[in-house]
Amino acid sequence: MEENLYQQRKDEASRARRKVQTTYVHQPSFFEKMDEKEREEFFAREKKRSERALRARFIRNRISIGFGFLIALAASILAIVPVFYTFINSFMSSAEISSNYGVIFQSLSGHVQQGATYLASTPTLTMVPQRVTFEQYANLLFMSPTYLFKFWNSIILVVPIVVGQMIASCLAAYSFARYRKKRREVLFFSYIILMLMPFQVTLVPNYMIADQLGILNTRWAIILPGIFSTFAIYLLTKYMRQIPIAYIEATKLDGATEWQIFTRIAVPMCKNAIFALSILLFIDYWNMVEQPLVLLTDVSKQPMSVFLSQINEAEIGIAFAASALYMIPPLLIFLWGEDYLVEGISRAGVK
Amino acid sequence: MKKHESKKNSRRWVIRAMVTFLVVLALLTFFSNTIMNATIPLVVTSTATRGNLAFTNSATGQVVSDSEIKVKGLEGRTVSEVLHTNYDQVQAGDVIVTLLPVEDMSDLETLESDLRTAQRNLEYARRAPSHANTFITETQAVRTAERNLAQAQADINSAATRDEAIAAARATLSANQAAAAALTTQVAAATASVEAIQLQIEACYARLAVIDGTAVVTPVPGMYCKLDPDPSDTTPEPTGEPLEEVVADPTPEPTGDPTPAPTADPTPTTEPTVAPTTEPTVTPTVTPVPAVPTSAIPTNNSNDRTAILNQIAQLQQQLVEAQNRLAGYSAQLTAANEAVTAATTAITTAEALPSSYAAQDALVDAQAALDAANLALSDARINAGINADKAQDSIEDYERQIETLTAKVNKKRAELEQTEIVAPADGYLYNVGVSEGDKLTAEGLVFSIVPQDSTYSVSFTFPTTVVQNMQPGQEFSSSNYYWINKIVITSIKPDPQNPRESRIVKCSVSSDYGLMPGESITVTADRSNATYDHVVAASAVSEDNSGKFVYVVIRSSGPLGDRYVVRRVTVNVEETSGAFVAISGEGLDNAMVVTRSEQPLHNGDRVRLEDYSGDSN
C-alpha cells in the first residue's frame, strides 16, 4: 500500500517536472477517512495521552530539580563545613586543638606508629570549644611576627600580579580584538594552547628563564610570569570582540585616537570582565603554593599560603586562627566585586 | 536606582573594611617585634657537653663557742631598747635589753585563777566521803545464796523419795477412810443403843413411880418399861426372855484396834495402819426390851417393883456396856480420822515438793547465784579499792598541779615585774636576735654570752669519700687565716641529713688573736678532677623546694620558623668547681641549657635565644 502510494507520488513528481498536466486525484487524509464519531474518539484519546505526557514531564522535571537541589545542597555543605570548622576551631586553645587533631600528625611519616595510630583513633571534630579563647589569635598577632611578614609577602606578591596582569591583558586583548590579522590569530591560538597547558608544564621553563634572568629567589620570579599569564588575555579578547564595531568607527569618525578608543570605549565596556578577572586572579594567586615553593627558596619571602600548606604538629595551635585570618582578604575582595564577577563571567560568552 | 545605591554603599563598606584590615595588619607588623620581645624572654644557652672538671674538696663552717650561754626571752614581753650590739664585751649584770612594762595582766590572772581552781578541787577531793565499805549488802546476798543452795540440796534429797511418800500416804488414806466409814456406822448404832437403853430405864423409873403412887402414869411414846405393855403392841407378851439376850450387843467386838493413831510423820517410814480385819456386817440396832404394859403390871406391887428394879439394874448395866462400846468406837473413829488427815497432809506436802529435774535446776541456779554473789562481792571490793586509789591519785595530782601553778604564778609575777634582761656572765655579746619593738617568746633566743676564756669549734660537712683519708687529731691547713693557729679534727660523725654520703667533721680551733663566734672558715681537704657527661655553667643550675633543676630549651621547627620552649629538668649536681658544675639528669645529652635569662622562667615558657651570629669573635 505504501509502496504504491510512494510510486504514485514519484510519478506525479516526474510529470510535474516535465510539466505534464494530469488530473489530480484527491487522496483522503487520515482525518478525512474518519467519521465524526471516530474523530471525537481520536481527539479524546489524544487528549488523554497528551495529558499523561504532560504530567509525566512535570514529574520528571520536579524529580530532576529536587535531585539537583540535593546535590547542590550536599556540595554546598561540603564546601562550607571546612570553612565553618576552621572558624569555630580558631577559638580553641592550643592544648584542645592538639588533643583533637594531633592524631592527624601522628599518622604522618616520622612518627613511630603512623597509620596505625590514625586508624585506631580518628581525629575528633568538635563543634563547640571546651573553653572559648583568643589564645590562637594572640599568639598569631602578638607573638608571631613571622606570620605577619608572610601575610605581607602574600600581599606584595599578589597585588602587583593582579594589577600588572590587568594592564597587560587589557592591552593585549584590545590588540587581538581590534586587529584580527592572520599572524595575530596564530599568536592568539598559541595563547590558547599555553592556557590549556597544565601549570606544572610551564613551571620548569619559568624556573629556567628566571634563573637565566637572575631573578630566581626574588619576588620578580613570581610576579613576572604572573603578569603575563594567558587566561586573562584570552577572556578579555573574547569579551572585547563583542564590542560593536559601529562604536569604534563612530569614535574614529569623531577623530579619536587609538589610545582614546582603548581607554574611553574598550576598557569601560569591559569593566565587568576586568573586575571579575581581578577577583579570580586575586583568589588564584592568593592561594598559590607551587610557584613560591619552586621559585622562592628563601623562606622569609614565601607567602602565607605556603605556611598554611605546610602546617605541622608544632604549628597546629595557631593553624586555625591563621587560616581564618587568611580568609579575610579574598572574602572582602569577593564582597566588593561580587556583582562584577557574576556579570563578567555570564557575559563573557555572549555574542 | 535604589538598588544601585545600595550596592555602592556595600562596596564602600567593603573598601573601608579592607583599608582597616590592612592598617591594623600594618600596625601589628610594625609593633610585632616589640610585642614579641616584650612578651618572650631572651635567654642565653650553652650545650651540656662531656668535660673534665677540676675541683677542690673544701667545706665551709662557722665558728661556734663551746661554752656559749644562751639567754631566752620572756613570753609576751616587748623589747623597749637593745643597749648593746654583737661582739660587745659585757660584764655580768649589765643590762642588755630593756623591756616595756606589762599592761596586759591577763596571763597572770589566768594562772592565778587556775591556781585557785586547783586549790578548791584539792579541798573538795580531801573532803570527799570515805571509800571504806563493809560490803553488807554483798555479804548478805552471799549468805542468802548459800541458804538457797542448802535448801536446794535438801529439796533434791526430798525429791528423790517424793513418789514413794505419796504412794504410802495414799495407801494409808484409803485404808483409814474405809475404817472410818465403818466406825462411823458403829458409833451411830452404839449411840442408838445407849439412847434406847436410857429410854427404857426412864420408862422403868416411870413405872416404878406409878407403882409407888407418886406419879400418874402417862405413857410416853418410845419410853417404856419392860414390865409395861406397849399400848400399840399387840404382840403377846414375851416369854420371859432374859434381858441380857435382848440387849446383848449384836455388834461383834473388833479384834483389834481398827484405827491405830497415825503418827505425825507422814513419811513412808510409818507403817500404814492395818484396817480392821472384821467388818461390822450387823447394823447395831437396839432391840428394845419388851416392855410390860401398864395394864399387864401385876398388881402385886412389891413384886413388880422388884422386877422393875431388877430390870432397871440390868438396863443400867447394859447402858454402861453400851456406853463403853460407844466410847471405844468413838476413840477408834477419832484415830482413823486423824490417820486420814495425816495421810492427806503427807500427800499435800509430798506433792508440793519439786521434781528431780526442777530440784536439779534449782540447785544449779542456786550455785550460780552464789557464784554471782561472790563475784559481786569481789568486784565491789576491787572497785572500792580503785575508787580509793583514784581519790588518792586525784589528791596527789591536785597537789602537783598546785605546786606547778604556784611556781608559774611566781615566775610570771617575777617576769611581769622584770623590766630588763641582764648579762648572766662576763663575755662577748653574740647572737643578739631582737630589736626594738620585738615581741619576745619563752623559747626565742634573745642573745648569747660567749665567755672570754671559751674554746671554739667548727663543723665541716664533707662527702664520705673525702673523709676516708681523715682521722681525729689531723690538722687542716690554716694558711688562709693568719689569726688562726690550728684547726684540728676532734670527731667525725655521719651527717644526720645524709648519713650514707656525708660526714660532719668537727674541729677545734685555736687562735692567739681571739676568735669570734660566727666567723666563717673554709678548709680544703684535697684537690682532684674527673670527667663528667654533662658539664654546664654554674649559673644554669637553680634550686627551689623541689630540688635542683635546669631549664632545657626544646626547639620545634615550622613554616613560621623555629620556636623555642623551655622544659624544666630536675638534676643532681655531681660536682662543682665554681664556674662549672657537673650534673646528671634525663634528656641532658647535647641539650641546650639555659644559663641566663632576662626574665624568670617557668616550665613550658616560650623563649628567644640570644643571637650570636653578628659577633665577630
Side-chain angles (χ1 to χ4, degrees):
Chain A
M1 178 67 182
E2 288 182 357
E3 287 180 358
N4 292 336
L5 184 62
Y6 176 74
Q7 189 60 41
Q8 187 179 352
R9 288 180 176 175
K10 190 176 177 183
D11 293 343
E12 286 177 359
S14 66
R15 280 197 294 273
R17 221 173 19 251
R18 291 196 299 271
K19 299 185 179 1
V20 176
Q21 298 298 323
T22 57
T23 306
Y24 175 70
V25 179
H26 177 71
Q27 294 291 335
S29 66
F30 176 72
F31 290 101
E32 288 170 346
K33 288 178 181 175
M34 291 188 290
D35 57 9
E36 193 64 27
K37 187 180 179 184
E38 286 176 342
R39 280 178 192 166
E40 285 180 359
E41 288 176 354
F42 175 78
F43 284 124
R45 194 168 57 247
E46 284 299 305
K47 188 179 180 184
K48 285 183 181 176
R49 189 187 62 79
S50 61
E51 283 177 352
R52 280 201 302 272
L54 283 173
R55 196 181 304 118
R57 191 167 63 183
F58 177 76
I59 292 171
R60 277 199 303 275
N61 285 343
R62 285 300 170 98
I63 289 173
S64 60
I65 288 170
F67 190 67
F69 177 76
L70 287 177
I71 290 175
L73 185 67
S76 303
I77 291 171
L78 284 174
I80 289 173
V81 161
V83 178
F84 180 72
Y85 266 105
T86 301
F87 184 72
I88 290 293
N89 290 343
S90 68
F91 295 104
M92 289 180 180
S93 64
S94 300
E96 190 176 352
I97 289 172
S98 297
S99 171
N100 291 344
Y101 307 109
V103 66
I104 296 172
F105 298 96
Q106 289 170 14
S107 66
L108 299 176
S109 61
H111 288 79
V112 178
Q113 297 178 343
Q114 297 184 8
T117 306
Y118 185 76
L119 291 174
S121 56
T122 52
T124 308
L125 293 176
T126 309
M127 288 285 288
V128 181
Q130 296 292 331
R131 187 169 62 88
V132 173
T133 174
F134 293 92
E135 179 188 338
Q136 290 190 61
Y137 290 101
N139 276 337
L140 201 66
L141 297 174
F142 302 124
M143 298 178 74
S144 302
T146 313
Y147 170 80
L148 299 171
F149 295 151
K150 287 185 182 299
F151 210 100
W152 283 110
N153 283 344
S154 292
I155 293 173
I156 289 169
L157 287 174
V158 173
V159 171
I161 287 174
V162 172
V163 174
Q165 191 170 146
M166 281 300 101
I167 295 171
S169 60
C170 283
L171 291 171
Y174 181 76
S175 171
F176 282 125
R178 183 80 173 84
Y179 304 103
R180 301 181 65 175
K181 302 296 182 183
K182 191 175 182 181
R183 281 170 297 188
R184 290 176 189 267
E185 289 297 325
V186 172
L187 187 62
F188 184 69
F189 183 73
S190 67
Y191 262 72
I192 294 172
I193 296 298
L194 279 174
M195 187 182 71
L196 293 176
M197 278 187 180
F199 170 76
Q200 288 77 9
V201 173
T202 58
L203 192 59
V204 175
N206 279 347
Y207 181 87
M208 294 172 69
I209 292 169
D211 191 23
Q212 290 295 319
L213 291 175
I215 58 174
L216 196 64
N217 200 23
T218 65
R219 292 188 177 89
W220 290 112
I222 306 292
I223 293 171
L224 286 178
I227 287 174
F228 300 107
S229 179
T230 57
F231 175 70
I233 295 172
Y234 170 77
L235 199 71
L236 278 177
T237 302
K238 302 296 276 182
Y239 204 90
M240 284 186 181
R241 282 180 179 175
Q242 295 173 26
I243 299 172
I245 193 70
Y247 286 179
I248 297 171
E249 287 177 352
T251 52
K252 283 187 76 175
L253 289 173
D254 289 340
T257 61
E258 200 68 35
W259 179 251
Q260 286 174 329
I261 294 171
F262 172 69
T263 55
R264 303 287 175 87
I265 301 295
V267 172
M269 292 191 74
C270 296
K271 191 172 70 174
N272 290 338
I274 290 170
F275 280 123
L277 272 173
S278 301
I279 294 167
L280 291 175
L281 288 174
F282 184 90
I283 293 171
D284 186 26
Y285 284 98
W286 188 255
N287 297 326
M288 66 179 170
V289 174
E290 292 90 348
Q291 299 97 316
L293 276 176
V294 174
L295 302 172
L296 276 179
T297 53
D298 188 354
V299 177
S300 64
K301 294 176 182 174
Q302 288 179 342
M304 194 66 204
S305 52
V306 176
F307 159 70
L308 291 176
S309 67
Q310 293 178 342
I311 289 172
N312 58 20
E313 200 170 357
E315 307 286 349
I316 191 172
I318 59 172
F320 290 105
S323 301
L325 286 176
Y326 194 66
M327 282 192 296
I328 291 175
L331 193 65
L332 291 174
I333 291 285
F334 175 78
L335 291 175
W336 172 70
E338 181 185 3
D339 295 333
Y340 298 122
L341 183 66
V342 174
E343 198 172 342
I345 291 175
S346 63
R347 290 181 61 181
V350 177
K351 281 281 181 182
Chain B
M1 189 67 183
K2 195 174 283 184
K3 189 178 178 184
H4 181 70
E5 281 296 319
S6 171
K7 285 182 179 177
K8 203 172 179 182
N9 290 334
S10 174
R11 283 196 199 104
R12 200 172 294 149
W13 175 86
V14 173
I15 289 169
R16 282 176 190 165
M18 276 187 203
V19 172
T20 306
F21 180 77
L22 289 175
V23 169
V24 169
L25 211 62
L27 285 173
L28 284 173
T29 307
F30 182 75
F31 290 106
S32 60
N33 281 331
T34 306
I35 295 170
M36 186 186 70
N37 292 337
T39 52
I40 301 176
L42 185 69
V43 298
V44 178
T45 62
S46 67
T47 306
T49 54
R50 183 179 176 83
N52 188 278
L53 204 66
F55 55 89
T56 58
N57 290 317
S58 57
T60 302
Q62 273 195 339
V63 175
V64 294
S65 169
D66 295 333
S67 53
E68 184 177 315
I69 302 169
K70 294 180 178 177
V71 177
K72 295 184 177 178
L74 303 174
E75 184 67 38
R77 300 299 297 275
T78 306
V79 175
S80 172
E81 191 178 1
V82 181
L83 302 176
H84 294 274
T85 58
N86 276 335
Y87 303 113
D88 280 359
Q89 192 167 2
V90 295
Q91 302 292 323
D94 285 355
V95 176
I96 310 298
V97 175
T98 59
L99 305 172
L100 291 175
V102 178
E103 296 177 356
D104 183 11
M105 306 290 280
S106 58
D107 290 346
L108 179 60
E109 290 169 358
T110 304
L111 284 173
E112 288 176 342
S113 174
D114 292 344
L115 178 60
R116 283 194 296 275
T117 305
Q119 286 171 340
R120 275 199 294 272
N121 290 336
L122 176 62
E123 186 182 350
Y124 297 151
R126 282 176 175 162
R127 286 162 55 188
S130 170
H131 293 279
N133 193 346
T134 55
F135 310 108
I136 292 172
T137 307
E138 290 80 3
T139 307
Q140 284 178 346
V142 170
R143 285 175 185 166
T144 303
E146 286 174 348
R147 281 197 295 274
N148 291 338
L149 181 61
Q151 182 62 42
Q153 285 172 342
D155 287 346
I156 204 167
N157 292 332
S158 300
T161 58
R162 175 175 174 267
D163 295 338
E164 295 173 3
I166 290 171
R170 281 184 179 157
T172 304
L173 182 63
S174 60
N176 285 297
Q177 279 176 337
L183 287 170
T184 303
T185 307
Q186 287 177 348
V187 167
T191 305
S193 298
V194 169
E195 288 174 352
I197 291 167
Q198 284 175 342
L199 288 173
Q200 284 181 2
I201 290 169
E202 287 174 5
C204 288
Y205 277 116
R207 179 66 178 168
L208 187 58
V210 170
I211 291 170
D212 290 342
T214 57
V216 178
V217 176
T218 305
V220 177
M223 184 186 277
Y224 57 89
C225 181
K226 192 174 181 181
L227 296 178
D228 291 338
D230 190 352
S232 63
D233 189 6
T234 58
T235 58
E237 188 180 348
T239 59
E241 203 174 9
L243 188 61
E244 288 80 2
E245 291 176 3
V246 175
V247 296
D249 188 3
T251 304
E253 191 74 24
T255 55
D257 189 0
T259 56
T263 60
D265 190 1
T267 56
T269 53
T270 306
E271 288 297 325
T273 307
V274 178
T277 54
T278 305
E279 290 293 326
T281 55
V282 180
T283 304
T285 56
V286 177
T287 304
V289 177
V292 180
T294 309
S295 61
I297 293 173
T299 54
N300 190 355
N301 289 337
S302 63
N303 290 338
D304 290 344
R305 198 173 183 276
T306 304
I308 290 169
L309 289 173
N310 288 336
Q311 190 176 356
I312 289 170
Q314 286 179 355
L315 289 171
Q316 284 178 341
Q317 190 179 350
Q318 287 178 2
L319 179 62
V320 170
E321 289 174 355
Q323 285 176 339
N324 288 336
R325 281 199 302 276
L326 177 60
Y329 290 150
S330 298
Q332 289 179 7
L333 179 59
T334 304
N337 285 333
E338 288 176 354
V340 168
T341 305
T344 305
T345 307
I347 288 170
T348 306
T349 306
E351 283 179 345
L353 287 173
S355 65
S356 296
Y357 295 114
Q360 191 68 33
D361 290 343
L363 178 64
V364 172
D365 292 344
Q367 186 62 49
L370 178 61
D371 294 342
N374 281 327
L375 183 62
L377 178 61
S378 172
D379 290 347
R381 283 176 177 159
I382 291 169
N383 287 332
I386 290 171
N387 289 333
D389 291 345
K390 280 183 178 176
Q392 184 61 32
D393 289 345
S394 64
I395 289 171
E396 292 174 0
D397 288 344
Y398 284 133
E399 287 175 348
R400 276 196 295 273
Q401 190 178 356
I402 288 169
E403 187 179 349
T404 306
L405 285 171
T406 304
K408 282 185 179 177
V409 167
N410 293 335
K411 184 182 177 187
K412 192 71 183 178
R413 196 171 284 140
E415 287 177 358
L416 293 176
E417 291 169 357
Q418 188 175 343
T419 56
E420 54 193 25
I421 300 175
V422 299
D426 295 348
Y428 293 104
L429 191 62
Y430 178 58
N431 267 346
V432 177
V434 296
S435 58
E436 185 179 339
D438 284 355
K439 201 89 171 175
L440 300 181
T441 60
E443 296 301 320
L445 181 67
V446 179
F447 58 82
S448 300
I449 297 294
V450 179
Q452 291 177 345
D453 55 350
S454 170
T455 58
Y456 296 93
S457 61
V458 186
S459 293
F460 303 102
T461 302
F462 282 104
T464 305
T465 52
V466 176
V467 178
Q468 287 173 353
N469 299 324
M470 298 180 188
Q471 57 185 356
Q474 183 179 340
E475 247 185 76
F476 279 120
S477 170
S478 60
S479 57
N480 292 335
Y481 308 97
Y482 67 89
W483 63 92
I484 292 176
N485 292 342
K486 280 184 179 178
I487 303 173
V488 181
I489 298 174
T490 56
S491 67
I492 300 174
K493 294 178 181 176
D495 183 1
Q497 304 292 331
N498 190 6
R500 296 185 67 177
E501 298 178 0
S502 184
R503 295 284 185 274
I504 294 177
V505 178
K506 189 172 183 181
C507 304
S508 66
V509 185
S510 59
S511 170
D512 292 339
Y513 296 93
L515 276 172
M516 288 293 178
E519 271 187 274
S520 183
I521 295 176
T522 301
V523 294
T524 300
D526 57 6
R527 297 176 187 279
S528 60
N529 65 78
T531 301
Y532 296 94
D533 288 338
H534 308 111
V535 178
V536 296
S539 61
V541 180
S542 304
E543 187 172 8
D544 63 4
N545 293 332
S546 302
K548 292 180 177 175
F549 62 91
V550 297
Y551 282 112
V552 173
V553 176
I554 307 297
R555 173 184 171 182
S556 57
S557 296
L560 290 180
D562 294 335
R563 292 184 68 198
Y564 301 97
V565 176
V566 292
R567 181 167 63 87
R568 177 178 164 145
V569 177
T570 302
V571 298
N572 179 36
V573 175
E574 295 178 340
E575 198 52 73
T576 179
S577 69
F580 294 95
V581 292
I583 58 175
S584 60
E586 289 184 1
L588 290 176
D589 293 338
N590 294 320
M592 286 194 296
V593 179
V594 175
T595 57
R596 187 159 54 86
S597 171
E598 62 182 13
Q599 290 179 16
L601 297 176
H602 301 91
N603 192 28
D605 279 357
R606 191 176 160 189
V607 296
R608 293 178 293 126
L609 299 187
E610 181 75 39
D611 187 9
Y612 296 105
S613 59
D615 295 349
S616 56
N617 297 326

